[in-house]
Amino acid sequence: LKLAHKPLRAALHKRAASLLARPAMAPATKRAAAQPPKGSAGRPAKVAKSAPVAEVDDKFAPAFELLAELNAGVPASCIEMLTAALPHALEASKENRHNFQETVLSGMAEICQKEQAKRESRIAEGEANLAAQETAKAGAAAKVDAAATEEEARRAQKEAAAACVASGVGAAGAAAGSLAEARTAAAEAEAAAEQQAKGKEDFMAKVQELFPPLKEGAWAKKDWRQRQKAIGQFMGLFAGTKVPQSLTAALPLALKDAPGARGMFAGKVVEEGEKVLKEHSVTLEEAIGAAKATAAERLEDLARAEKLEKDAVLSRDLAQEECIEKENEWLAAEEVLAGLKKSMADFPEEDKRLATELDEAKTALQTLKNAIDQFKLLESPPPVATELPQEVVAPAAGAEDGASTADAPMVAEVEVVH
């Protein structure tokens, strides 16, 4: 509570002086007093007067200081009344005060008690606010710690989820690579099986086209060139077969002759050639089976690779969803932590404000107490200490002043000021 005491004190001082300097009005009468005879020396009529304070000086300053302190919480009319009445009540000694003057002083005391209680209540309220502030700070600090722990945990979960995503992406990429290789291998195996089947088909077609006419001697002697061409093509079918070199050398000579002109050895050579072709046909069939089996295996590998790639993609997608969820949870925890830290940043300013309010309340209470103490000294001044008179010794007989009564001691009259 900060009041401009000096201007208020001056205003109160001026108001008190004007009120105290105002004479009391003469009592109203029903008729005028009789006039004395002309030329007589009659006394003038007396006018009732109050006993005003001689002057309003600084001795009433404590009263005005106290009124200035009470001004904010007391109606202006009450302040005006006390400004007028207090100097009269204080001017009179305690034992000579009128009942009304005692009432004024007791009312002043009651007002002071209420104001003091009000200011003490403000101090209690300020202390309670500071205590509540400390409790709030402790609670906020605990919340910050808990939020920091939560944020750290959420951060760890987010990072773990991100690591799972990275692993899932790598696994999905590897599975995609394996799938591509499996598809290539399956395609190559199918192509090889088809090629084997077509090779056998072409081989058997050539055998059926060339061997029966050569074995039966279907060409006439004049078509020997065609026969030799067919023999050459037929011998080409033995490429890649397990035929002895002696057979490949003898078989073209045996096929030149007609069946009836062939000797026993030539007949055996033709039969052996036919046998080799049949064996080669079986070999080709076995190769086709092996190629088909390999193609089937590659298809199984492809199916497994497709499943692995599908599972890897699914795992990657789930990991990404989990990572997004953990990212959002971490962001929420981080936002909560940031908000709590921001609220903690507001505490110092609030601490300062509450401390200032409490200090002002204490200062206001102490100022009021000091003003009350000074007023009490003005209301009930302590007795003035007086010194005992010193004994005055009369001059000896025969002195120049010739005073015969100097032997008697002189006692000074002492006035006790109340």
Side-chain angles (χ1 to χ4, degrees):
L1 180 60
K2 296 181 179 178
L3 297 175
H5 289 171
K6 289 183 179 181
L8 182 57
R9 173 185 170 186
L12 292 173
H13 194 286
K14 182 177 180 181
R15 179 61 178 160
S18 64
L19 291 172
L20 293 172
R22 183 186 303 167
M25 295 179 61
T29 58
K30 294 184 178 179
R31 58 190 178 88
Q35 298 292 329
K38 188 176 182 179
S40 63
R43 293 182 178 180
K46 293 183 178 180
V47 179
K49 293 183 178 180
S50 62
V53 178
E55 60 179 0
V56 181
D57 56 21
D58 283 345
K59 73 178 181 179
F60 296 115
F64 300 141
E65 293 285 349
L66 183 55
L67 286 175
E69 282 296 319
L70 298 174
N71 181 62
V74 180
S77 59
C78 184
I79 291 291
E80 185 175 6
M81 182 196 70
L82 291 173
T83 302
L86 277 177
H88 292 288
L90 295 172
E91 182 69 17
S93 61
K94 187 173 184 179
E95 60 273 9
N96 294 327
R97 287 175 186 154
H98 190 273
N99 288 339
F100 178 73
Q101 293 173 336
E102 291 293 345
T103 300
V104 170
L105 293 175
S106 63
M108 184 69 172
E110 183 178 355
I111 292 173
C112 290
Q113 289 175 358
K114 290 182 179 180
E115 181 63 22
Q116 182 171 342
K118 187 187 299 183
R119 298 191 183 191
E120 289 173 348
S121 175
R122 289 197 191 102
I123 292 176
E125 182 181 355
E127 291 174 344
N129 288 338
L130 275 178
Q133 177 78 347
E134 291 301 322
T135 302
K137 285 166 62 178
K143 288 182 179 179
V144 168
D145 292 339
T149 301
E150 179 69 11
E151 186 272 341
E152 184 177 356
R154 296 300 181 185
R155 181 189 296 272
Q157 292 175 0
K158 177 193 68 116
E159 292 175 352
C164 288
V165 169
S167 177
V169 170
S178 298
L179 177 60
E181 293 176 357
R183 283 173 177 167
T184 301
E188 290 176 352
E190 287 182 354
E194 290 176 358
Q195 186 177 2
Q196 287 288 344
K198 188 175 185 309
K200 180 188 176 184
E201 182 179 355
D202 292 344
F203 175 78
M204 296 304 298
K206 282 293 183 181
V207 170
Q208 292 298 324
E209 177 187 356
L210 299 174
F211 183 64
L214 291 175
K215 181 180 180 182
E216 299 297 331
W219 283 277
K221 289 183 178 181
K222 64 184 178 82
D223 297 327
W224 62 271
R225 286 185 178 85
Q226 295 179 358
R227 185 190 62 208
Q228 289 298 116
K229 182 179 179 181
I231 291 173
Q233 293 177 351
F234 177 71
M235 294 303 299
L237 296 176
F238 288 90
T241 62
K242 297 179 179 180
V243 58
Q245 187 175 4
S246 58
L247 179 61
T248 58
L251 185 58
L253 297 177
L255 292 176
K256 286 181 179 181
D257 298 331
R262 293 174 189 157
M264 182 182 63
F265 180 75
K268 291 289 183 180
V269 170
V270 173
E271 290 178 0
E272 190 66 24
E274 185 178 8
K275 180 181 177 181
V276 170
L277 292 177
K278 289 181 179 180
E279 291 178 353
H280 186 62
S281 175
V282 172
T283 301
L284 291 176
E285 188 65 30
E286 291 176 351
I288 291 173
K292 289 182 176 181
T294 300
E297 291 178 0
R298 297 296 176 265
L299 289 175
E300 291 177 358
D301 293 341
L302 176 60
R304 283 192 294 270
E306 288 176 344
K307 185 177 184 306
L308 289 176
E309 194 268 346
K310 183 178 179 180
D311 293 343
V313 170
L314 179 61
S315 297
R316 180 201 64 193
D317 294 342
L318 291 176
Q320 288 176 339
E321 292 177 1
E322 180 75 8
C323 184
I324 292 172
E325 181 180 353
K326 296 304 179 183
E327 180 83 15
N328 291 334
E329 291 177 356
W330 170 72
L331 289 174
E334 187 182 42
E335 183 177 359
V336 170
L337 178 59
L340 290 173
K341 287 183 176 180
K342 183 178 180 182
S343 66
M344 288 288 291
D346 297 334
F347 278 117
E349 188 66 25
E350 184 67 8
D351 289 344
K352 183 179 179 181
R353 186 185 69 81
L354 292 176
T356 300
E357 287 182 356
L358 181 58
D359 290 341
E360 290 176 352
K362 289 181 178 180
T363 301
L365 176 61
Q366 189 59 46
T367 302
L368 178 63
K369 286 182 176 180
N370 293 340
I372 291 174
D373 291 342
Q374 293 299 318
F375 179 79
K376 286 181 178 179
L377 291 176
L378 184 62
E379 179 185 5
S380 302
V384 178
T386 58
E387 296 181 0
L388 295 176
Q390 296 181 355
E391 183 177 353
V392 179
V393 180
E400 291 181 359
D401 55 6
S404 60
T405 61
D407 293 334
M410 297 178 66
V411 179
E413 184 178 355
V414 179
E415 180 182 2
V416 178
V417 179
H418 296 283

